[in-house]
Amino acid sequence: MTRTVRPFLRAVWSEGTKLPSLPATRRVLLAAALLAAVLRVRQPAGAIAPDVGGYVLLQVLTAAAGALSVTSEYATGMMRLSMVAVPRRGLLLAAKAVVCAAACFAIGAVSGPAGGLYLALAGLAGVATGFLARSATAAWVLLVGAAVGDALLVRLLPDRPARAASRFSPTAAGDRFLDGRHAQSMPSPWAGAGLLAAVAVIALVSAFVVSHHREH
């Protein structure tokens, strides 16, 4: 176990010091932090849930930051050095995921633990997308397309199919989790968090499988 834990902790430390040095990632994270601060200031006194609409934009920003933490290294060639330093692709992916999730959680936590967890999951999905796409442009298309396409699908469907689809929509699940209220006939807010976590895990596993396949 020590053979895995120590290299992993070293990888996390390395990624933690590297993340602020990536200009594009740093700018996006700073923009997300400023927006989170503005939303917190504008949040009415005594409000339990953060501004759901504002957090949709924060979701895109933190997911983009996660993707850029990977695609920036592919663009500059730094990824080769990272892979030499951490030959085990699973450890490298996990270290990047942990560091990015921690940064995104800190940004969202200004509005409460729910906001932090929501943005951490978005960051994880972004890291996975970065490994899958390896290009900032392709990652942006995938992330924005997934967010917009999911919301549009629910809106364009007839009433009954739309209600059924919204039960399994990641966007709707995120809204329910942030809102914190349990609507009748809909999954609970924590079920929504579980769905978001499942999406992030599936994306990370897919990224690991694709990354491993590319090297063999």
Side-chain angles (χ1 to χ4, degrees):
M1 183 175 179
T2 304
R3 293 180 180 179
T4 301
V5 173
R6 286 181 178 174
F8 175 68
L9 293 178
R10 285 197 296 268
V12 168
W13 176 262
S14 174
E15 293 299 325
T17 56
K18 188 193 306 176
L19 187 68
S21 71
L22 300 171
T25 308
R26 183 175 65 246
R27 286 194 292 268
V28 174
L29 285 174
L30 284 174
L34 287 173
L35 177 57
V38 170
L39 292 175
R40 180 66 183 90
V41 170
R42 293 181 58 187
Q43 188 171 330
I48 299 175
D51 179 359
V52 173
Y55 263 71
V56 172
L57 179 55
L58 275 175
Q59 172 195 0
V60 174
L61 287 174
T62 48
L68 286 170
S69 71
V70 179
T71 60
S72 295
E73 290 199 42
Y74 277 113
T76 60
M78 192 185 299
M79 184 59 76
R80 296 190 187 92
L81 297 176
S82 295
M83 289 182 174
V84 169
V86 187
R88 297 168 65 179
R89 302 297 180 260
L91 280 184
L92 179 61
L93 172 62
K96 283 186 175 294
V98 166
V99 169
C100 187
C104 294
F105 181 88
I107 291 171
V110 298
S111 294
L117 180 56
Y118 179 79
L119 295 188
L121 293 173
L124 291 177
V127 170
T129 303
F131 272 103
L132 289 169
R134 298 201 295 182
S135 158
T137 302
W140 269 104
V141 170
L142 287 172
L143 290 170
V144 175
V148 174
D150 179 34
L152 281 178
L153 178 63
V154 174
R155 290 180 179 273
L156 293 176
L157 286 173
D159 187 53
R160 183 173 294 180
R163 284 200 303 269
S166 65
R167 295 175 63 88
F168 303 100
S169 161
T171 300
D175 291 348
R176 290 195 301 272
F177 177 58
L178 286 174
D179 187 69
R181 290 175 290 189
H182 190 179
Q184 189 175 5
S185 78
M186 296 298 290
S188 70
W190 281 105
L195 176 59
L196 293 176
V199 170
V201 169
I202 291 171
L204 287 169
V205 170
S206 300
F208 171 74
V209 171
V210 170
S211 179
H212 183 75
H213 178 73
R214 284 173 180 155
E215 300 300 324
H216 294 83

